[in-house]
Amino acid sequence: MRKINIIEPKVPQMPSRKMVAAYARVSMESERLQHSLSAQVSYYSSLIQQNPAWEYAGVYADDGITGTKTNDRTEFNRMIADCEAGKIDIILTKSISRFARNTVDLLNAVRHLKDLGISVQFEKEHIDSLSEDGELMLTLLASFAQEEVRSLSDNVKWGTRKRFEKGIPNGRFQIYGYRWDGDHLVVEPEEAKIVKLIYVNFLNGLSAESTEKQLEEMGVKSYKGQHFGNTSIRQILGNITYTGNLLFQKEYTVDPISKKSRKNQGELPQYWVENTHEAIIPMEVYQAVQEEKARRRELGVFANWSINTSCFTSKIKCGRCGKSYQRSNRKGRKDPDANYTVWICGTRRKTGNAQCQNKDIPEPMLKEACTAVLGLDEFDETVFSEQIDHIEIPAPYEMVFYFKDGRIVPHRWQSTMRKDCWTDERRAAKGRYVQEHQLGPNSSCFTSRIRCDQCGENYRRQRSRHKDGSFDSVWRCASSAKCSSPSIKEETLMALCAKAMGLDEFEETAFREQIACIHITAPYHLSIHFFDGHTFEAQWENKRKMPKHSEKRKQHMREVMIQKWRERHGESNDHSGDDQPVYGNAD
């Protein structure tokens, strides 16, 4: 018999197309480079769409952004995010220098994409990042691209210095009080008045912060229309351009990759050009301000008369973190006479114990230690300022006094402030305050006021909810597991306290004002103590109300128990006879 083979038609499987994107970049904004960027975008769009094995995933283009950093390259970062989302399989780019001019950033990006299985193809260098020698070639060529940036930077710096030597500024910088008219700085009259005011205020002893407040009240804004901050005021006080002269290369770029700038402290030459524009501030006034700044810098915090200083200011140093101790005035919560002053490490004051654990020093203890070290009968600020250079706090309760004559005297101290300030009156007031304010979510006016004399613990509140939604509150001893003192219902407590105060109904305000505490002196016996000293003795009884069961209810419970017994022992419900077990009483 012949065998018939049925051949099923097979649908040919087309290979999946690769998602291909391109990256383009120009580093400067100009008409020529804009045309270059447009040409790159058009070229790659056409190239990708003409390849049948590729699917167009877009062209990412950064316009006028340097290739030395990836942080500010919006389109580059968006492309990386789309790669992580699985939207791209291949990236095309013109050259290594277009992709990145920083070797580290280039290799990090390529390695990250390689881990994702994404190929980066550099057209000019003919390199595929997924090939065997791709990373080696990229490392070498990226180093050349980075060095090219350094070479270009050096050439730009050379040209800039040549212009400085001829008195030509490096571009049109922004400065408050002036505007550019062609290649010349011209005074802006209204802003010039503010510049003069800033200089006059400083010479009259005002700080930059005081001038900041004054300008805010006047409604004066900065060059860009923002708040005129004290930092801008200090920059104006140190800018020699206001004298009608220019000083070039006051700052310089450390390296072209990081692009970090640094103040020129003599590392590079500076260029002084006189009488380039109209002056707002005379040179002698500018010099006077610089001398005053140096004087205030030497005086430190004492130069600012608005700061409340003492003889200890800036003289107490933390031996652990090196910061100065700062004065702190603290207030008692309830008693106005309980105010006190302490000296606290600046680091600890700002960050807490995480950074520095040196102890605070009460000012009376500090004066007492200084008096002992100086050999005086009582503390004298003048003698302290004349003899002591500074005090170092190497560890808690330790001081090291450094005299101006070179002597070093260690000293140990112990704070007694807590013991000294806790008089009987203040202790009673504190206890009253705690009783009135130490309330939690499950507490009331009785919280922390009911004491068990048998074990010494406080009574605590317990609440139980009924089916109808109502609550019952009962007060039990905190050691009820070990203590035999009975519980007492809150409604019973309220009734006894109202009776003790001579009221028809319990009033919480009257209770807080009159009753200090309640002692459970014996089982079912309590003593109510008033603030005026008298007491009120009372007894109570906890009555248990048990519902009485009817005969019908008792018979029902017997049948339920018999049924449960049968189910547990596998017996059927149709058992009858005298051998049936009987539960409960027949009546």
Side-chain angles (χ1 to χ4, degrees):
M1 185 175 180
R2 293 184 178 180
K3 209 186 255 188
I4 300 175
N5 293 329
I6 301 175
I7 301 174
E8 298 288 346
K10 291 185 179 180
V11 179
Q13 300 216 351
M14 299 293 293
S16 60
R17 296 199 297 171
K18 297 286 186 180
M19 300 293 295
V20 181
Y23 177 73
R25 180 185 64 82
V26 294
S27 57
M28 296 178 62
E29 295 181 357
S30 68
E31 185 176 351
R32 180 176 62 85
L33 292 178
Q34 284 284 346
H35 181 269
S36 171
L37 182 62
S38 300
Q40 290 182 57
V41 173
S42 300
Y43 168 74
Y44 283 115
S45 298
S46 175
L47 178 66
I48 296 171
Q49 293 176 16
Q50 288 176 2
N51 192 327
W54 290 351
E55 185 172 342
Y56 182 70
V59 176
Y60 301 81
D62 281 314
D63 186 7
I65 300 177
T66 178
T68 56
K69 291 183 179 179
T70 59
N71 298 338
D72 302 328
R73 295 159 66 184
T74 308
E75 286 294 286
F76 182 87
N77 293 324
R78 187 169 72 88
M79 178 183 68
I80 298 297
D82 288 345
C83 289
E84 293 171 345
K87 299 179 180 179
I88 300 173
D89 298 315
I90 299 174
I91 297 174
L92 306 179
T93 187
K94 181 179 179 182
S95 64
I96 291 174
S97 61
R98 295 301 93 198
F99 197 77
R101 284 187 177 270
N102 185 329
T103 306
V104 174
D105 287 345
L106 172 68
L107 293 179
N108 286 339
V110 168
R111 286 170 181 169
H112 178 55
L113 295 172
K114 188 175 181 180
D115 292 338
L116 298 173
I118 298 170
S119 167
V120 183
Q121 297 180 8
F122 301 90
E123 184 180 11
K124 180 180 177 181
E125 293 84 3
H126 303 289
I127 296 176
D128 186 340
S129 63
L130 294 185
S131 63
E132 294 182 359
D133 58 348
E135 184 166 332
L136 175 61
M137 295 300 297
L138 282 173
T139 304
L140 294 174
L141 295 175
S143 300
F144 293 145
Q146 182 170 309
E147 287 307 312
E148 184 183 359
V149 171
R150 295 187 186 276
S151 178
L152 289 172
S153 175
D154 291 340
N155 292 338
V156 171
K157 288 178 180 177
W158 182 86
T160 301
R161 288 166 188 162
K162 288 300 179 183
R163 288 195 298 274
F164 285 164
E165 290 174 0
K166 296 177 182 180
I168 303 173
N170 186 25
R172 296 183 179 183
F173 53 86
Q174 296 177 345
I175 179 170
Y176 187 83
Y178 288 101
R179 293 294 184 273
W180 284 96
D181 184 8
D183 293 333
H184 300 283
L185 284 172
V186 179
V187 174
E188 206 289 319
E190 294 301 321
E191 292 183 359
K193 293 178 182 178
I194 302 302
V195 174
K196 292 176 181 178
L197 174 64
I198 290 172
Y199 274 78
V200 170
N201 280 356
F202 190 80
L203 290 177
N204 288 336
L206 294 179
S207 65
E209 287 76 15
S210 300
T211 302
E212 177 187 8
K213 293 178 182 177
Q214 181 181 355
L215 296 181
E216 186 175 8
E217 293 172 358
M218 293 169 60
V220 177
K221 300 297 182 181
S222 67
Y223 187 95
K224 296 182 178 180
Q226 304 298 322
H227 171 71
F228 216 127
N230 56 74
T231 303
S232 299
I233 293 171
R234 290 189 176 91
Q235 289 176 347
I236 289 174
L237 291 169
N239 196 336
I240 202 169
T241 306
Y242 293 106
T243 64
N245 309 294
L246 288 176
L247 180 64
F248 297 144
Q249 201 156 265
K250 291 182 284 187
E251 294 183 352
Y252 66 97
T253 303
V254 179
D255 84 77
I257 304 302
S258 66
K259 297 190 180 297
K260 291 183 179 179
S261 62
R262 183 178 297 171
K263 191 173 181 180
N264 189 357
Q265 301 286 359
E267 295 88 350
L268 295 175
Q270 293 184 331
Y271 303 89
W272 173 254
V273 186
E274 294 183 340
N275 303 322
T276 57
H277 54 279
E278 182 183 351
I280 296 177
I281 302 298
M283 178 60 78
E284 57 272 16
V285 174
Y286 176 83
Q287 295 293 352
V289 166
Q290 307 317 306
E291 292 173 3
E292 176 64 14
K293 286 172 66 177
R295 187 189 71 83
R296 294 188 189 185
R297 195 179 301 113
E298 185 177 352
L299 287 175
V301 69
F302 296 101
N304 193 343
W305 53 266
S306 62
I307 298 177
N308 185 18
T309 60
S310 77
C311 62
F312 298 118
T313 302
S314 74
K315 282 202 171 187
I316 308 174
K317 306 293 182 182
C318 177
R320 292 190 173 184
C321 65
K323 292 289 185 179
S324 293
Y325 268 60
Q326 300 174 2
R327 196 181 197 202
S328 175
N329 294 317
R330 299 180 179 177
K331 297 181 180 180
R333 291 185 177 179
K334 189 153 181 131
D335 187 1
D337 298 328
N339 296 350
Y340 58 99
T341 301
V342 299
W343 288 82
I344 180 172
C345 169
T347 300
R348 184 168 176 268
R349 186 176 192 176
K350 184 177 293 186
T351 63
N353 288 331
Q355 301 295 330
C356 187
Q357 292 81 33
N358 251 349
K359 295 287 187 180
D360 302 348
I361 306 174
E363 192 168 270
M365 301 294 103
L366 183 59
K367 291 182 177 180
E368 184 179 317
C370 293
T371 302
V373 171
L374 293 171
L376 304 174
D377 295 330
E378 60 181 16
F379 181 73
D380 190 322
E381 288 189 8
T382 306
V383 176
F384 174 83
S385 300
E386 290 176 351
Q387 296 191 27
I388 302 297
D389 180 72
H390 68 278
I391 304 172
E392 185 178 306
I393 313 299
Y397 307 115
E398 292 184 14
M399 298 181 185
V400 180
F401 287 78
Y402 289 81
F403 284 74
K404 291 184 178 180
D405 60 7
R407 288 184 296 143
I408 301 176
V409 179
H411 179 79
R412 287 192 61 83
W413 63 283
Q414 189 69 37
S415 177
T416 59
M417 286 290 293
R418 186 181 295 273
K419 181 179 179 181
D420 295 342
C421 70
W422 278 104
T423 60
D424 293 338
E425 294 80 6
R426 186 156 182 260
R427 193 183 301 276
K430 181 66 174 179
R432 197 174 308 167
Y433 176 85
V434 171
Q435 290 174 354
E436 291 177 359
H437 296 83
Q438 192 178 4
L439 301 178
N442 190 33
S443 59
S444 72
C445 58
F446 297 113
T447 301
S448 74
R449 294 203 187 194
I450 307 174
R451 178 63 66 92
C452 175
D453 285 356
Q454 182 174 337
C455 66
E457 294 287 343
N458 285 338
Y459 264 52
R460 294 180 180 174
R461 190 189 202 189
Q462 294 181 354
R463 305 183 74 186
S464 57
R465 185 172 183 174
H466 300 290
K467 293 182 178 179
D468 58 0
S470 61
F471 286 90
D472 273 346
S473 296
V474 178
W475 290 83
R476 303 180 189 276
C477 177
S479 299
S480 57
K482 300 178 181 178
C483 182
S484 60
S485 291
S487 62
I488 180 172
K489 292 184 178 181
E490 189 167 273
E491 58 184 20
T492 304
L493 267 176
M494 290 181 175
L496 293 176
C497 290
K499 184 177 180 181
M501 293 184 291
L503 303 175
D504 294 333
E505 293 182 356
F506 178 78
E507 294 182 5
E508 184 174 329
T509 304
F511 175 84
R512 292 184 183 278
E513 293 175 351
Q514 298 183 35
I515 297 177
C517 59
I518 301 171
H519 284 258
I520 309 299
T521 55
Y524 304 107
H525 189 279
L526 57 80
S527 177
I528 301 175
H529 294 251
F530 286 75
F531 283 119
D532 60 9
H534 81 278
T535 59
F536 179 85
E537 309 293 329
Q539 293 183 349
W540 83 94
E541 181 180 358
N542 289 338
K543 295 182 180 180
R544 298 186 65 185
K545 296 180 180 180
M546 298 296 294
K548 294 183 179 180
H549 287 184
S550 63
E551 290 298 326
K552 185 177 180 180
R553 171 75 175 172
K554 291 179 182 178
Q555 182 61 33
H556 172 72
M557 293 304 297
R558 290 193 194 100
E559 293 174 357
V560 169
M561 294 177 68
I562 291 171
Q563 181 66 25
K564 287 184 177 181
W565 187 92
R566 286 174 174 170
E567 291 174 355
R568 188 179 301 116
H569 292 79
E571 296 184 7
S572 62
N573 294 337
D574 58 351
H575 282 219
S576 60
D578 297 337
D579 58 341
Q580 222 177 31
V582 178
Y583 294 88
N585 299 324
D587 56 357

